[in-house]
Amino acid sequence: MSRSRYRTLLTRILEYRVPYGVQTLAYRSDGAILLVHHDEVNQWVLPGGQPTSRQESLKKTAKRELQEEADITGEYEGLALLFQVHISHGQHQTQGILPVFRAVAASTDCHADDPDDEITAAKWFHSLPENTRDREYIQAYQQGLQK
């Protein structure tokens, strides 16, 4: 990882407690999972992002990002997943967390409406695309939803 990227992530951890923000695993009653296409990494990802201030709670951030990136709302039920993130540059290392909230979709007509222009599509999936970030974890969670 480059020095500047390392500093950016370290600053986010110190400022907002999380290097990559938060995400939402939004699902419908039929077990479909909402993913958004992130052009910069060319992958389908869970909707999410960074807090806008220290006063914005992680849950409020997750709700805002879900609305901004996919134009839907959800009823939040708590944490679905919690990833530990290890970050290093040379001999410098730190770590952070990536919380993923679980939400049942309150509205299901989604479309990408990202003010940052990183997200170009929003779509519901029963079978996750191969280029889904953290695919194996999301699939395992999805299988649990369908039982």
Side-chain angles (χ1 to χ4, degrees):
M1 171 177 302
S2 72
R3 182 180 182 137
S4 64
R5 182 67 175 151
Y6 179 82
R7 283 188 171 174
T8 297
L9 297 178
L10 182 59
T11 299
R12 288 178 182 172
I13 291 169
L14 295 172
E15 182 77 17
Y16 302 115
R17 304 168 310 279
V18 289
Y20 298 108
V22 299
Q23 295 178 329
T24 297
L25 192 150
Y27 67 96
R28 296 188 312 207
S29 59
D30 65 359
I33 300 287
L34 177 73
L35 296 175
V36 294
H37 193 267
H38 195 297
D39 270 5
E40 187 176 310
V41 296
N42 192 29
Q43 289 185 315
W44 288 94
V45 301
L46 295 171
Q50 286 290 327
T52 56
S53 72
R54 284 182 158 220
Q55 290 71 42
E56 185 177 50
S57 73
L58 297 179
K59 187 175 180 181
K60 189 174 273 193
T61 299
K63 288 180 176 185
R64 176 181 51 75
E65 289 287 341
L66 181 64
Q67 179 71 50
E68 284 180 4
E69 292 184 355
D71 198 27
I72 71 162
T73 58
E75 297 296 323
Y76 280 72
E77 303 173 326
L79 282 178
L81 301 164
L82 184 63
F83 294 108
Q84 187 172 16
V85 181
H86 298 277
I87 303 162
S88 62
H89 171 72
Q91 296 182 7
H92 302 285
Q93 297 180 40
T94 190
Q95 58 186 357
I97 59 168
L98 174 59
V100 180
F101 288 92
R102 170 184 164 136
V104 62
S107 56
T108 59
D109 290 333
C110 61
H111 71 278
D113 190 26
D114 182 26
D116 299 323
D117 291 326
E118 297 172 330
I119 304 303
T120 56
K123 187 175 175 183
W124 293 100
F125 291 94
H126 286 99
S127 297
L128 304 181
E130 289 296 323
N131 65 332
T132 299
R133 185 171 50 203
D134 301 318
R135 185 174 188 260
E136 63 278 3
Y137 299 107
I138 298 169
Q139 274 184 317
Y141 201 88
Q142 185 179 32
Q143 288 170 356
L145 288 172
Q146 296 171 350
K147 291 182 179 179

